[in-house]
Amino acid sequence: MINLNPAIEQKINQFILETQNKFSQDKSATLASYQIEATNITQETQNLRDELNQKLGELTFSDPLPSREELEKQIIAHTDQLVETITLLSTGKSSEIPLDTFSQENDSLVTTITTLFAANANVPNLPKIKEKLTAWQTKVKDTLVEFSTTVELQQKNEYLIAELRDNLSKYSSVDEQFEKLIKEFKDNFAQLQEASVLFKSLDDLINEIQARDEVIKLNQRIDILLEKTKEQVAGFPQELDREVQAELARLIEILGIAQVELMNISKPWDIMQVKSVVDAGEIAIKSLIGKPNIILAQKLRYAARTGLRKTQTGFWTRLAEFRDNLFHSFKIPTKVLIGLVLALPLNWGIMNSLPVKDLLMSLPPINTEGKSNQNTEDKDGNFRLLILILMTGTLGGAVSLLTRLQDFDDPKNQKYDDDLLPLIIGLTKPILGGSFAFFILLILNSNISPLEIRGGTEDNRNGIYLYGLLTMAFVAGFSERLIPDLINQVEKKVTVEASSTGRGLPPAILIAPSSATLALNGIQEFIINPVGNYTITISPPGSGTINQTKTTEKFTYTAPPQGNDGDKITITATSDSGQTAKATVTLTA
C-alpha cells in the first residue's frame, strides 16, 4: 500500500462521484420506465381477476378441482401478491419471495383455471378468456424476470462501485483479483451512457496510481543505491584513481538529477526512462568497485545521461540530445572524419574572411628569387599564392589524419568515445596544418631559416622555388614532428646570433614612407629606422635611380623618365645582419 498524494486522492473521489452520478441517472431512467410498465400490468391483472371471478359463477365445479370459493380466494391472494411484487421490483427493491417459487405458484394457478375451463367447454366465451389468461401468464413471467434481473444487476453495480472505491484507495499493484474486479465493472457498466469515457478515466487513473507507485519505488531504490555507494566509497584507498573518482561523481550527480525529475513526471514512458537510468547507474557503480572497468562505466553513464534527457523538454535539451545521438551513433574514426570534413570549408572561410585577408594582403610579395616577369608585385596574385600555400598545409594535415584514421579505432582510445575530443581533433588538425604552412612560408622568406630550397636554372628558378615551397607547406601540415623541430632550430639560431652580438634580438627595420606615388622623373626621399648600415636595391633593376647604394638613415629615389601608368617598383633596404625592409613606389604617367 502506498501513500497517495492529494491530487490522486481527489481524482479517485471525482471518478467515484462521476460513476455514481451516471449510474444513478441510468437507474432512475430504468425504474421510471419500469413503474409505467408495472402500472399497466397491475391494471391488466386486476381486470383479468375481476373477469375470472365473474365467469366462475357460470362454471360447474367437481372433484378434484377446488370449490368456487377456494379458487376465488387463490386468485385474489395470488394476484395481490403478484401486484405487490411487481410494484416492489419497479422501485428497485428485491422481493422476499424467490422468483422461481412465485413463477411455480403462478403456473399452478393458471393450470387449475385451464382444467376448469376444459371441464366446462360448453360455456360460451371461455376460449377467449383462456387466450387472455395464457397471454397474461407469459407477460407476467417475462416482467418478473426482467424486473428481477435489473434489480439484481443494479445492486451488484452498487457493490462494484463500493469495491472499486476501496481498492483504488488501497491500490498498490495490479494483481489478478483487482484485474478481475475491473473487468467485471466494465462488463456490467458497458451499457451505461458515455461508458467509454468513464472507462478511459478509470484506466488513466490506474496508470497514474501505478506510476506514482513506481516513482516511490524508484526513489527508494536510488536512496538505497546512494547509501551503499557512500559506504563503499568510505572504504576506498585515498590514492583511488582520478578517473574512477570522476566517474563516481558524475554517476552520483546523474542519480540525484533523476530523483529531482521523478518529482515532476507522471507519464509511464518517462518513468520507464528514469528506471533505465537507475539500472544503468547501478551497474556502472558496481563496475567501478574492485577492479574498475572505466570504459563500461563511461558507456553506462553516458547512456544514463542520454536517457534522462529524454524526460526533459526545451530547445537546449533537444540540442544536447542531438549531440548525444551523434556521439552514440558514430564510432571514433567516423567522428574524426566528420570533423575533418567540416574543417576544410571552415579553414577556407577563415582564410578568406575580411580581417585575415587584410593581414595577408599587407604582407610583402613572396620572394621567388626569380628575375623573369612573374607577377609577385600584384597584391591579389600574392594573396592567391598565400591562400594556395595555406590550403596546401591544410591538405597535408587532412591527409595525415586519413593515414592514421585506423589508429583511432584502437581499444585504448575508446574511453574518448563519449567525448568531444575526436571531433575536435578532426576539426583542428587541418587548421593546424595551414598554420604550420604559414610558419614555413615565413621562415623560408626570412634570413633565419635553417631550410633552403634548392634553386634551378635561370629559366625554371621561379617554378622550382614555388613547387618547393608548396611541398614544404604540405610536409609541414602532414608531419607532427617537423615544425616543433624546426622551431627549436630557429630558436637556437636566433639565440646564438643574439649571444654573439651581445645585443639581443635585432630590432625590426622600417622604411618611411612604406609606399609612395611618383610621376615620371619624380623624386622621393625615404628614411630608414633604426640608424645602421644598409644596402639599397631597386626591383626591377633599372627602374629609376638612387642617390647612394649605401646609407645609414636616409636616401633619395628618382623615378625613371619612361614607364607605364600603374607600374610598381620595389625598393629594398638590407642590413648587415640580413634583415630587410621594403617600400613600394607606384608610377603615374
Side-chain angles (χ1 to χ4, degrees), residues 181-462:
L181 174 63
I182 294 174
K183 183 179 183 303
E184 190 174 6
F185 174 82
K186 290 183 177 180
D187 291 341
N188 285 5
F189 283 84
Q191 302 303 322
L192 202 63
Q193 189 177 6
E194 299 181 358
S196 59
V197 177
L198 195 67
F199 296 162
K200 185 179 184 306
S201 299
L202 176 60
D203 293 337
D204 292 343
L205 184 58
I206 292 176
N207 289 335
E208 187 170 354
I209 298 174
Q210 191 173 19
R212 178 58 54 183
D213 182 37
E214 190 64 32
V215 165
I216 293 176
K217 291 178 181 178
L218 281 174
N219 264 313
Q220 293 173 346
R221 186 177 167 192
I222 293 175
D223 288 338
I224 294 173
L225 179 59
L226 292 177
E227 187 64 29
K228 288 184 178 179
T229 304
K230 179 180 177 181
E231 295 174 358
Q232 291 168 340
V233 169
F236 285 169
Q238 294 183 354
E239 62 275 10
L240 185 65
D241 187 83
R242 292 177 61 88
E243 282 189 299
V244 176
Q245 295 182 48
E247 283 303 316
L248 278 173
R250 295 189 186 105
L251 288 168
I252 291 173
E253 178 185 5
I254 289 175
L255 291 175
I257 296 174
Q259 281 194 307
V260 175
E261 288 296 319
L262 284 173
M263 298 174 61
N264 304 318
I265 62 177
S266 58
K267 296 180 180 178
W269 188 87
D270 289 341
I271 294 174
M272 293 307 296
Q273 281 291 334
V274 177
K275 184 178 182 299
S276 68
V277 170
V278 177
D279 290 339
E282 185 174 15
I283 298 174
I285 289 176
K286 289 181 179 179
S287 69
L288 295 174
I289 308 301
K291 186 178 180 180
N293 190 335
I294 298 295
I295 294 179
L296 176 60
Q298 287 179 333
K299 296 281 188 181
L300 290 171
R301 184 253 302 170
Y302 210 80
R305 188 171 67 183
T306 303
L308 195 59
R309 285 204 180 100
K310 295 183 183 296
T311 66
Q312 303 169 341
T313 57
F315 172 76
W316 294 111
T317 301
R318 299 282 78 82
L319 187 63
E321 184 178 354
F322 172 78
R323 183 198 66 189
D324 292 345
N325 291 333
L326 177 66
F327 287 157
H328 281 294
S329 302
F330 301 108
K331 301 180 73 173
I332 293 180
T334 308
K335 295 176 190 176
V336 174
L337 192 59
I338 292 174
L340 182 61
V341 172
L342 295 176
L344 297 178
L346 177 62
N347 205 20
W348 175 263
I350 292 174
M351 294 175 187
N352 285 274
S353 63
L354 188 59
V356 175
K357 186 173 182 180
D358 290 342
L359 290 175
L360 294 179
M361 292 282 282
S362 66
L363 292 175
I366 298 175
N367 180 17
T368 57
E369 298 182 351
K371 301 182 182 297
S372 60
N373 187 21
Q374 182 161 345
N375 231 356
T376 57
E377 299 292 336
D378 181 16
K379 287 190 176 183
D380 290 334
N382 191 62
F383 173 73
R384 288 193 295 270
L385 181 58
L386 288 171
I387 293 295
L388 176 61
I389 293 171
L390 295 176
M391 288 305 297
T392 302
T394 301
L395 181 62
V399 173
S400 174
L401 270 184
L402 290 175
T403 57
R404 296 185 296 108
L405 203 58
Q406 61 181 1
D407 295 340
F408 290 97
D409 206 22
D410 192 315
K412 296 180 180 179
N413 296 325
Q414 293 306 305
K415 64 180 180 179
Y416 300 112
D417 189 34
D418 63 349
D419 201 350
L420 195 61
L421 185 60
L423 193 66
I424 293 177
I425 290 175
L427 191 64
T428 58
K429 177 62 177 175
I431 298 177
L432 193 62
S435 302
F436 286 167
F438 186 68
F439 175 72
I440 285 289
L441 172 68
L442 293 179
I443 64 172
L444 284 176
N445 283 270
S446 68
N447 65 338
I448 58 174
S449 174
L451 300 175
E452 182 179 354
I453 298 177
R454 187 176 301 171
T457 62
E458 185 71 23
D459 294 333
N460 64 2
R461 182 177 300 169
N462 291 324

Side-chain angles (χ1 to χ4, degrees), residues 52 55-56 58-59 113 116-132:
L52 283 172
K55 199 67 177 177
L56 290 179
E58 302 176 13
L59 302 179
I113 296 173
L116 179 62
F117 283 178
N120 294 270
N122 57 342
V123 177
N125 295 328
L126 283 183
K128 185 177 180 181
I129 296 176
K130 182 180 178 182
E131 183 179 346
K132 287 183 179 181

